[in-house]
Amino acid sequence: MALLEVTDLQTHFRTPKGINRAVQGVSFSVDAGETLAIVGESGCGKSVTSMSIMRLLPSGAAKSAGRVTLDGRDLLGLSEAEMQAVRGNEIGMIFQEPMTSLNPVLTVGAQVSETIALHQNISRAELARRALEMLDLVGIPDAPRRMNEYPHQLSGGMRQRVMIALALACKPRILIADEPTTALDVTIQAQILELLRDIQREHGTAIILITHDLGVVAESTNRVAVMYAGRKIEEAATDTLLANPRHPYTRGLLAAVPRLGRAERGRLAEIPGLVPDLRKPLDGCSFANRCPAATEFCRQYAPALELKAPGHVAACHLAEPHGGRA
Ligand code: SF4
């Protein structure tokens, strides 16, 4: 049994213009010590998937169904109090923009201490010692001084490190990192991804890395699940997926990854067109309006997610099946 198993997750939002089917039957699993990337453009459902796992979506407007199990325990069936204990203690989360998640009027040390105190009953002196240890762990230089500083006094990279310290404060078994490096420059991005790898190596933490950028997954992840229009449309081991993508959308995302020289010459490929409106019913393949290989058959019949090679699934009529349905 995998540490986290998501089975047939569906999340729908009520909107004034109809039901938005943001996540439609998504399944995946993550083992201890493994990193799974969930990749796709914005609006493809990847962040809604992570917020559904954490049950952080507004309960009035959003409804999730399916199964999300942590060591066999179904998180969607827990009471809010039980779920609160899971957040932070068992699953930690890092968001894209630390300034909106950190409290601007509390020192960094106070925020990390408060987070630890929420989950553990220990003395103030021990809290301060643990907070300092966490800032050290995430590579904040001169941590004793930084403990007394406020978020606006730190650089973007340092703030993201504080967010990681907060997410790791109670040693969760799973870390969900939602676009953790998008707002950072390339050098700091690489440092943050290296930090996540180090933490995983040392603590065996499972990581779900959510990103729109296939360029960051190569060295950081074991497997990649690609989402499009609320569905998983491809999944494989990272090396396999990067070397041999089966879905035209994944190939489009790969072509959009800047490589040395290509971006500078201004020839970065873009996938033309837009993600379909998920409030409207759709016949056929959801990528057909943007796919260079689309046929009339594609526009009429939605492809199923099928095994295309060992450990490699994709939802595309033109990718040869391997002898089974995923
Ligand atoms: Fe393109 Fe057809 Fe494959 Fe959809 S099923 S991705 S439209 S080739």
Side-chain angles (χ1 to χ4, degrees):
M1 182 172 55
L3 179 58
L4 181 81
E5 279 189 25
V6 174
T7 311
D8 196 20
L9 179 69
Q10 321 249 356
T11 299
H12 298 175
F13 291 92
R14 245 183 307 122
T15 78
K17 291 191 175 164
I19 303 289
N20 181 337
R21 293 169 178 80
V23 178
Q24 304 175 29
V26 167
S27 301
F28 57 83
S29 62
V30 195
D31 284 316
E34 183 186 37
T35 300
L36 170 74
I38 301 182
V39 179
E41 295 162 291
S42 69
C44 283
K46 52 195 198 306
S47 290
V48 176
T49 298
S50 65
M51 297 293 266
S52 306
I53 293 170
M54 294 296 270
R55 286 186 34 194
L56 286 172
L57 294 167
S59 57
K63 202 166 167 25
S64 291
R67 270 172 75 77
V68 177
T69 58
L70 178 66
D71 264 347
R73 193 164 58 134
D74 190 1
L75 302 185
L76 298 186
L78 297 184
S79 68
E80 182 48 35
E82 288 169 324
M83 193 59 211
Q84 249 174 23
V86 170
R87 289 186 211 114
N89 269 337
E90 300 190 72
I91 311 180
M93 191 152 182
I94 309 168
F95 297 94
Q96 176 179 344
E97 185 31 80
M99 261 327 249
T100 54
S101 310
L102 294 172
N103 187 334
V105 299
L106 272 187
T107 63
V108 163
Q111 294 188 55
V112 180
S113 303
E114 266 191 5
T115 305
I116 299 169
L118 276 178
H119 300 276
Q120 289 174 32
N121 193 11
I122 52 180
S123 71
R124 286 175 70 88
E126 178 63 9
L127 274 177
R129 194 192 63 73
R130 287 281 309 281
L132 189 59
E133 192 181 282
M134 289 312 301
L135 293 185
D136 261 340
L137 175 76
V138 297
I140 294 199
D142 198 4
R145 179 167 66 84
R146 298 292 189 185
M147 288 273 286
N148 299 313
E149 291 187 345
Y150 293 88
H152 74 269
Q153 294 175 280
L154 306 181
S155 66
M158 285 296 149
R159 286 197 287 264
Q160 195 53 289
R161 286 174 192 266
V162 173
M163 279 299 298
I164 296 173
L166 287 172
L168 293 174
C170 295
K171 302 190 168 67
R173 292 189 291 163
I174 302 174
L175 191 60
I176 300 179
D178 191 351
E179 304 274 11
T181 62
T182 300
L184 305 173
D185 72 42
V186 178
T187 314
I188 309 293
Q189 265 190 23
Q191 289 173 6
I192 296 289
L193 293 172
E194 179 65 36
L195 169 65
L196 292 177
R197 281 199 294 274
D198 288 348
I199 286 164
Q200 180 170 64
R201 259 196 305 272
E202 274 176 45
H203 302 279
T205 318
I207 297 178
I208 298 176
L209 176 68
I210 292 172
T211 178
H212 67 280
D213 181 359
L214 259 179
V216 309
V217 311
E219 288 175 18
S220 313
T221 64
N222 306 102
R223 275 185 307 122
V224 181
V226 182
M227 282 189 73
Y228 185 75
R231 296 176 190 272
K232 183 175 82 173
I233 52 95
E234 185 160 14
E235 182 176 349
T238 304
D239 293 352
T240 307
L241 186 122
L242 295 180
N244 190 14
R246 302 282 178 141
H247 197 286
Y249 178 63
T250 312
R251 289 200 284 271
L253 288 179
L254 265 174
V257 173
R259 288 196 187 93
L260 206 57
R262 189 173 65 184
E264 284 153 20
R265 292 199 301 273
R267 283 205 247 130
L268 199 60
E270 270 185 20
I271 306 174
L274 296 171
V275 181
D277 185 344
L278 296 178
R279 291 167 305 187
K280 295 185 179 149
L282 189 72
D283 288 329
C285 173
S286 58
F287 190 55
N289 63 334
R290 305 172 75 186
C291 179
T295 63
E296 202 40 49
F297 186 79
C298 300
R299 291 189 184 89
Q300 285 187 32
Y301 301 99
L305 193 65
E306 290 176 328
L307 204 59
K308 303 296 184 184
H312 192 159
V313 295
C316 173
H317 291 308
L318 296 191
E320 284 297 311
H322 178 71
R325 184 162 287 195

